[in-house]
Amino acid sequence: MRNVNLNALRVFAVVASHENLQRAAEEMNLSRGAVSQRIKQLEIELGVVLLVRGARGVSLTPEGERCRTAMEDALAILDTALVDLGEGGDRVTLHLGSSTATKWLMPRMDAFAAKFPNVSLTTQVHEQILARSLGRNEIALWPGKTLDANPTHGSRRLTDIRLVAVCSRDFLRPDWPMGQETLLTMPLLQDAHRRWEKLIKTTGYGDINKLLNFDRSALALDAAIGGHGVAIAPTYMVENDLRAKKLVEVWIDPEPSDDGLYISWSKDHLGQTRIKRIVDWIASEFE
Protein backbone atom coordinates (compact mmCIF):
# COMPACT_ATOMS: atom_id res chain seq x y z
CA MET A 1 0.00 0.00 0.00
CA ARG A 2 1.32 3.49 -0.89
CA ASN A 3 2.23 5.85 1.92
CA VAL A 4 -0.21 8.61 0.92
CA ASN A 5 -0.76 11.64 3.15
CA LEU A 6 -4.38 11.43 4.34
CA ASN A 7 -4.57 15.17 5.00
CA ALA A 8 -3.58 15.85 1.39
CA LEU A 9 -6.33 13.46 0.26
CA ARG A 10 -8.84 15.38 2.36
CA VAL A 11 -7.70 18.66 0.80
CA PHE A 12 -8.01 17.13 -2.68
CA ALA A 13 -11.57 15.96 -1.94
CA VAL A 14 -12.62 19.51 -1.00
CA VAL A 15 -10.88 21.04 -4.04
CA ALA A 16 -12.50 18.46 -6.32
CA SER A 17 -15.96 19.23 -4.92
CA HIS A 18 -15.57 22.96 -5.66
CA GLU A 19 -13.24 22.74 -8.67
CA ASN A 20 -11.76 25.94 -7.30
CA LEU A 21 -8.68 26.35 -5.11
CA GLN A 22 -9.79 29.60 -3.44
CA ARG A 23 -13.21 28.28 -2.38
CA ALA A 24 -11.60 25.12 -1.01
CA ALA A 25 -9.10 27.23 0.91
CA GLU A 26 -11.90 29.33 2.44
CA GLU A 27 -13.84 26.22 3.49
CA MET A 28 -10.79 24.72 5.24
CA ASN A 29 -9.45 28.01 6.64
CA LEU A 30 -6.19 27.58 4.75
CA SER A 31 -4.30 29.83 2.38
CA ARG A 32 -4.66 29.20 -1.34
CA GLY A 33 -0.94 28.50 -1.49
CA ALA A 34 -1.17 25.85 1.23
CA VAL A 35 -3.99 24.10 -0.63
CA SER A 36 -2.03 24.17 -3.89
CA GLN A 37 1.08 22.81 -2.15
CA ARG A 38 -0.78 19.86 -0.64
CA ILE A 39 -2.29 18.97 -4.00
CA LYS A 40 1.20 19.02 -5.55
CA GLN A 41 2.44 16.82 -2.70
CA LEU A 42 -0.35 14.31 -3.37
CA GLU A 43 0.39 14.29 -7.12
CA ILE A 44 4.05 13.55 -6.39
CA GLU A 45 3.16 10.72 -4.00
CA LEU A 46 0.71 9.16 -6.48
CA GLY A 47 2.88 9.83 -9.52
CA VAL A 48 -0.01 11.31 -11.54
CA VAL A 49 -1.46 14.73 -12.38
CA LEU A 50 -4.83 15.22 -10.68
CA LEU A 51 -5.73 18.81 -11.59
CA VAL A 52 -5.39 21.10 -14.58
CA ARG A 53 -5.24 24.71 -13.42
CA GLY A 54 -7.04 27.36 -15.51
CA ALA A 55 -7.98 31.02 -15.28
CA ARG A 56 -11.49 30.28 -13.92
CA GLY A 57 -10.62 27.38 -11.62
CA VAL A 58 -9.35 23.85 -11.91
CA SER A 59 -10.55 20.80 -13.80
CA LEU A 60 -9.93 17.16 -13.02
CA THR A 61 -7.80 14.92 -15.20
CA PRO A 62 -9.07 11.34 -15.79
CA GLU A 63 -6.82 10.26 -12.91
CA GLY A 64 -8.28 13.07 -10.80
CA GLU A 65 -11.82 11.88 -11.53
CA ARG A 66 -10.86 8.35 -10.44
CA CYS A 67 -9.32 9.72 -7.25
CA ARG A 68 -12.40 11.85 -6.50
CA THR A 69 -14.74 8.88 -6.99
CA ALA A 70 -12.57 6.69 -4.77
CA MET A 71 -12.49 9.36 -2.05
CA GLU A 72 -16.26 9.91 -2.16
CA ASP A 73 -16.96 6.17 -1.97
CA ALA A 74 -14.49 5.79 0.92
CA LEU A 75 -16.05 8.68 2.86
CA ALA A 76 -19.53 7.24 2.34
CA ILE A 77 -18.37 3.86 3.68
CA LEU A 78 -16.76 5.56 6.67
CA ASP A 79 -19.90 7.57 7.35
CA THR A 80 -21.99 4.39 7.27
CA ALA A 81 -19.59 2.64 9.65
CA LEU A 82 -19.59 5.49 12.18
CA VAL A 83 -23.20 6.62 12.03
CA ASP A 84 -24.37 4.41 14.92
CA LEU A 85 -21.52 5.43 17.22
CA GLY A 86 -22.34 7.99 19.90
CA GLU A 87 -25.07 10.31 18.60
CA GLY A 88 -24.43 9.57 14.93
CA GLY A 89 -27.82 7.98 14.47
CA ASP A 90 -29.42 11.40 14.97
CA ARG A 91 -27.26 13.09 12.32
CA VAL A 92 -28.58 13.64 8.79
CA THR A 93 -26.57 15.12 5.93
CA LEU A 94 -28.39 17.06 3.21
CA HIS A 95 -26.54 17.60 -0.09
CA LEU A 96 -27.77 20.50 -2.22
CA GLY A 97 -26.72 23.47 -4.33
CA SER A 98 -25.52 26.65 -2.66
CA SER A 99 -28.40 28.84 -3.84
CA THR A 100 -31.01 26.22 -2.93
CA ALA A 101 -29.43 26.12 0.52
CA THR A 102 -29.49 29.91 0.87
CA LYS A 103 -32.85 30.72 -0.69
CA TRP A 104 -34.95 27.61 0.03
CA LEU A 105 -33.50 25.80 3.05
CA MET A 106 -32.35 28.64 5.31
CA PRO A 107 -35.83 30.24 5.65
CA ARG A 108 -37.13 26.81 6.77
CA MET A 109 -34.50 25.91 9.36
CA ASP A 110 -36.67 26.93 12.31
CA ALA A 111 -39.55 24.84 10.96
CA PHE A 112 -37.21 21.87 10.46
CA ALA A 113 -35.87 22.17 14.01
CA ALA A 114 -39.39 22.32 15.40
CA LYS A 115 -40.47 19.29 13.37
CA PHE A 116 -37.33 17.22 14.09
CA PRO A 117 -35.91 18.47 17.41
CA ASN A 118 -33.66 15.44 17.89
CA VAL A 119 -32.07 15.54 14.42
CA SER A 120 -28.72 17.23 13.89
CA LEU A 121 -28.79 18.47 10.28
CA THR A 122 -25.54 18.94 8.37
CA THR A 123 -25.59 20.56 4.92
CA GLN A 124 -22.98 19.94 2.24
CA VAL A 125 -23.06 22.34 -0.70
CA HIS A 126 -22.03 21.15 -4.17
CA GLU A 127 -21.50 22.91 -7.47
CA GLN A 128 -22.34 19.71 -9.36
CA ILE A 129 -24.68 16.78 -8.79
CA LEU A 130 -23.19 14.33 -6.30
CA ALA A 131 -21.56 11.57 -8.36
CA ARG A 132 -21.28 8.84 -5.73
CA SER A 133 -23.98 6.73 -4.11
CA LEU A 134 -25.58 8.17 -0.99
CA GLY A 135 -24.57 6.65 2.31
CA ARG A 136 -26.55 6.09 5.47
CA ASN A 137 -28.43 9.16 6.73
CA GLU A 138 -27.77 11.13 3.54
CA ILE A 139 -30.35 12.95 1.41
CA ALA A 140 -29.73 14.92 -1.79
CA LEU A 141 -31.68 17.64 -3.61
CA TRP A 142 -30.68 18.09 -7.24
CA PRO A 143 -32.03 19.47 -10.55
CA GLY A 144 -32.56 17.19 -13.51
CA LYS A 145 -34.94 15.86 -16.13
CA THR A 146 -35.64 12.33 -14.80
CA LEU A 147 -35.72 10.39 -11.57
CA ASP A 148 -32.42 9.28 -10.08
CA ALA A 149 -31.18 6.27 -12.08
CA ASN A 150 -28.92 4.99 -9.29
CA PRO A 151 -30.34 1.56 -8.36
CA THR A 152 -29.31 2.03 -4.70
CA HIS A 153 -31.40 5.21 -4.36
CA GLY A 154 -35.02 6.05 -3.84
CA SER A 155 -36.10 9.20 -5.69
CA ARG A 156 -39.08 11.48 -6.24
CA ARG A 157 -39.79 14.70 -8.13
CA LEU A 158 -40.36 17.66 -5.85
CA THR A 159 -41.39 20.41 -8.27
CA ASP A 160 -41.15 21.64 -11.84
CA ILE A 161 -38.48 24.25 -12.46
CA ARG A 162 -40.39 27.28 -13.78
CA LEU A 163 -38.38 30.44 -14.38
CA VAL A 164 -39.46 33.92 -13.29
CA ALA A 165 -37.80 37.32 -13.62
CA VAL A 166 -37.80 39.40 -10.44
CA CYS A 167 -36.62 42.78 -9.20
CA SER A 168 -36.96 45.07 -6.21
CA ARG A 169 -40.32 46.75 -5.66
CA ASP A 170 -38.46 50.08 -5.81
CA PHE A 171 -36.70 49.32 -9.08
CA LEU A 172 -37.93 51.58 -11.92
CA ARG A 173 -39.68 49.39 -14.46
CA PRO A 174 -42.51 49.42 -16.99
CA ASP A 175 -45.90 48.28 -15.75
CA TRP A 176 -46.76 44.59 -15.51
CA PRO A 177 -47.15 42.58 -17.66
CA MET A 178 -43.79 43.14 -19.32
CA GLY A 179 -43.03 41.81 -22.79
CA GLN A 180 -39.84 39.92 -23.45
CA GLU A 181 -38.45 42.60 -25.76
CA THR A 182 -38.83 45.29 -23.08
CA LEU A 183 -37.54 43.00 -20.35
CA LEU A 184 -34.27 42.27 -22.15
CA THR A 185 -33.43 45.97 -22.49
CA MET A 186 -33.33 46.39 -18.70
CA PRO A 187 -30.27 45.92 -16.44
CA LEU A 188 -30.02 42.14 -16.20
CA LEU A 189 -28.39 40.14 -13.39
CA GLN A 190 -27.15 36.77 -14.59
CA ASP A 191 -25.87 33.72 -12.67
CA ALA A 192 -23.76 30.76 -13.79
CA HIS A 193 -26.74 29.17 -15.61
CA ARG A 194 -26.47 32.05 -18.16
CA ARG A 195 -30.23 32.13 -18.71
CA TRP A 196 -30.35 35.78 -19.80
CA GLU A 197 -27.61 35.15 -22.33
CA LYS A 198 -29.57 32.25 -23.82
CA LEU A 199 -32.75 34.36 -24.07
CA ILE A 200 -30.87 37.20 -25.76
CA LYS A 201 -29.33 34.84 -28.30
CA THR A 202 -32.71 33.20 -28.96
CA THR A 203 -34.74 36.40 -29.36
CA GLY A 204 -32.16 38.84 -30.72
CA TYR A 205 -33.15 41.44 -28.11
CA GLY A 206 -30.81 42.98 -25.55
CA ASP A 207 -27.02 43.14 -25.31
CA ILE A 208 -24.98 40.30 -23.86
CA ASN A 209 -22.09 42.67 -23.16
CA LYS A 210 -24.22 44.64 -20.66
CA LEU A 211 -25.06 41.68 -18.42
CA LEU A 212 -23.90 41.81 -14.81
CA ASN A 213 -22.65 38.30 -14.04
CA PHE A 214 -22.60 36.40 -10.74
CA ASP A 215 -21.44 32.85 -10.10
CA ARG A 216 -24.48 31.91 -7.98
CA SER A 217 -28.21 32.45 -8.26
CA ALA A 218 -28.46 33.62 -4.66
CA LEU A 219 -25.98 36.44 -5.32
CA ALA A 220 -27.89 37.60 -8.39
CA LEU A 221 -31.14 37.55 -6.39
CA ASP A 222 -29.56 39.54 -3.56
CA ALA A 223 -28.38 42.10 -6.14
CA ALA A 224 -31.97 42.30 -7.41
CA ILE A 225 -33.20 42.89 -3.85
CA GLY A 226 -30.65 45.69 -3.64
CA GLY A 227 -32.20 47.37 -6.68
CA HIS A 228 -29.40 46.69 -9.16
CA GLY A 229 -31.51 45.08 -11.87
CA VAL A 230 -33.61 42.07 -12.86
CA ALA A 231 -32.64 38.49 -11.96
CA ILE A 232 -34.04 35.23 -13.31
CA ALA A 233 -34.42 32.10 -11.19
CA PRO A 234 -36.70 29.11 -10.48
CA THR A 235 -39.93 29.96 -8.68
CA TYR A 236 -39.11 27.82 -5.62
CA MET A 237 -35.95 29.87 -5.08
CA VAL A 238 -37.72 33.26 -4.94
CA GLU A 239 -41.01 32.44 -3.20
CA ASN A 240 -39.85 33.56 0.27
CA ASP A 241 -38.52 36.90 -1.01
CA LEU A 242 -41.75 37.43 -2.96
CA ARG A 243 -43.81 36.68 0.13
CA ALA A 244 -41.69 39.08 2.17
CA LYS A 245 -42.19 41.73 -0.56
CA LYS A 246 -38.44 42.01 -1.10
CA LEU A 247 -38.99 41.10 -4.77
CA VAL A 248 -41.79 41.31 -7.32
CA GLU A 249 -42.34 39.23 -10.45
CA VAL A 250 -42.03 41.10 -13.75
CA TRP A 251 -42.02 38.16 -16.19
CA ILE A 252 -42.78 34.44 -16.20
CA ASP A 253 -41.16 32.17 -18.79
CA PRO A 254 -44.01 31.03 -21.05
CA GLU A 255 -42.02 28.04 -22.33
CA PRO A 256 -42.70 24.74 -20.52
CA SER A 257 -39.63 22.99 -19.16
CA ASP A 258 -38.85 19.33 -18.58
CA ASP A 259 -36.48 20.27 -15.77
CA GLY A 260 -37.42 19.55 -12.20
CA LEU A 261 -36.02 19.45 -8.69
CA TYR A 262 -35.60 15.93 -7.27
CA ILE A 263 -34.86 14.36 -3.92
CA SER A 264 -32.86 11.15 -3.46
CA TRP A 265 -32.04 8.92 -0.50
CA SER A 266 -30.41 5.56 0.05
CA LYS A 267 -32.69 2.54 -0.14
CA ASP A 268 -30.92 1.32 2.99
CA HIS A 269 -33.24 3.74 4.80
CA LEU A 270 -36.45 1.95 3.80
CA GLY A 271 -36.90 0.61 7.32
CA GLN A 272 -36.10 3.92 9.02
CA THR A 273 -39.16 6.04 9.68
CA ARG A 274 -37.13 9.18 10.50
CA ILE A 275 -35.55 9.44 7.03
CA LYS A 276 -38.95 8.81 5.42
CA ARG A 277 -40.48 11.55 7.60
CA ILE A 278 -37.76 14.03 6.61
CA VAL A 279 -38.18 13.22 2.92
CA ASP A 280 -41.97 13.59 3.25
CA TRP A 281 -41.57 16.93 5.08
CA ILE A 282 -39.24 18.31 2.39
CA ALA A 283 -41.69 17.19 -0.31
CA SER A 284 -44.59 18.84 1.55
CA GLU A 285 -42.72 22.17 1.51
CA PHE A 286 -42.90 22.14 -2.29
CA GLU A 287 -46.65 21.43 -2.46
Side-chain angles (χ1 to χ4, degrees):
M1 180 177 177
R2 293 181 179 179
N3 185 22
V4 178
N5 186 290
L6 295 180
N7 188 45
L9 278 173
R10 173 180 170 272
V11 170
F12 168 76
V14 177
V15 171
S17 69
H18 290 288
E19 295 193 358
N20 186 286
L21 292 173
Q22 185 60 42
R23 289 183 191 168
E26 292 171 357
E27 179 174 326
M28 295 181 289
N29 293 319
L30 296 172
S31 69
R32 190 178 186 280
V35 170
S36 181
Q37 185 61 37
R38 291 179 192 182
I39 297 297
K40 289 179 181 178
Q41 173 192 351
L42 182 61
E43 290 177 326
I44 291 172
E45 291 175 349
L46 294 176
V48 297
V49 176
L50 300 173
L51 301 176
V52 176
R53 292 160 175 80
R56 300 184 63 182
V58 296
S59 58
L60 299 179
T61 65
E63 292 78 11
E65 288 284 1
R66 288 175 58 193
C67 186
R68 172 167 67 176
T69 300
M71 282 293 298
E72 289 175 342
D73 289 344
L75 290 172
I77 292 171
L78 184 61
D79 184 73
T80 299
L82 297 179
V83 72
D84 289 326
L85 296 180
E87 298 180 353
D90 295 328
R91 179 167 47 86
V92 172
T93 299
L94 181 61
H95 301 274
L96 71 174
S98 61
S99 295
T100 300
T102 301
K103 290 297 183 180
W104 183 85
L105 178 63
M106 289 303 104
R108 291 170 171 80
M109 287 302 298
D110 287 345
F112 181 91
K115 184 74 174 179
F116 305 101
N118 297 321
V119 173
S120 175
L121 182 67
T122 298
T123 59
Q124 289 195 9
V125 169
H126 303 272
E127 300 299 323
Q128 298 178 342
I129 295 172
L130 197 64
R132 64 168 173 82
S133 296
L134 294 170
R136 187 176 177 85
N137 282 1
E138 288 186 304
I139 299 171
L141 300 182
W142 50 277
K145 294 185 180 296
T146 60
L147 291 172
D148 193 340
N150 189 319
T152 69
H153 291 172
S155 179
R156 63 194 285 187
R157 189 181 180 104
L158 294 173
T159 187
D160 296 337
I161 292 182
R162 185 77 181 273
L163 299 177
V164 294
V166 293
C167 66
S168 166
R169 296 174 62 87
D170 299 325
F171 184 74
L172 295 177
R173 63 190 188 278
D175 292 336
W176 170 267
M178 186 186 300
Q180 199 173 75
E181 181 176 0
T182 302
L183 173 69
L184 295 177
T185 63
M186 303 186 73
L188 302 177
L189 310 171
Q190 177 170 256
D191 58 37
H193 295 284
R194 309 183 79 84
R195 295 181 176 114
W196 284 133
E197 188 171 318
K198 293 171 185 176
L199 274 173
I200 290 172
K201 288 181 177 179
T202 299
T203 63
Y205 305 132
D207 186 348
I208 292 174
N209 297 318
K210 293 183 179 180
L211 296 175
L212 183 57
N213 290 286
F214 299 85
D215 65 346
R216 300 178 186 179
S217 299
L219 295 177
L221 290 170
D222 284 345
I225 291 172
H228 299 290
V230 183
I232 187 171
T235 52
Y236 76 86
M237 205 174 283
V238 300
E239 59 184 11
N240 287 287
D241 288 329
L242 291 173
R243 190 178 300 115
K245 301 187 184 303
K246 295 179 180 179
L247 293 171
V248 293
E249 291 181 3
V250 293
W251 177 81
I252 300 177
D253 188 357
E255 297 296 327
S257 172
D258 294 332
D259 294 334
L261 189 71
Y262 293 83
I263 187 169
S264 296
W265 62 95
S266 172
K267 287 183 178 178
D268 289 343
H269 298 310
L270 289 180
Q272 299 182 22
T273 57
R274 184 184 63 243
I275 291 297
K276 183 179 184 302
R277 287 176 58 225
I278 292 174
V279 170
D280 287 344
W281 178 82
I282 292 174
S284 72
E285 289 296 303
F286 285 92
E287 293 176 354

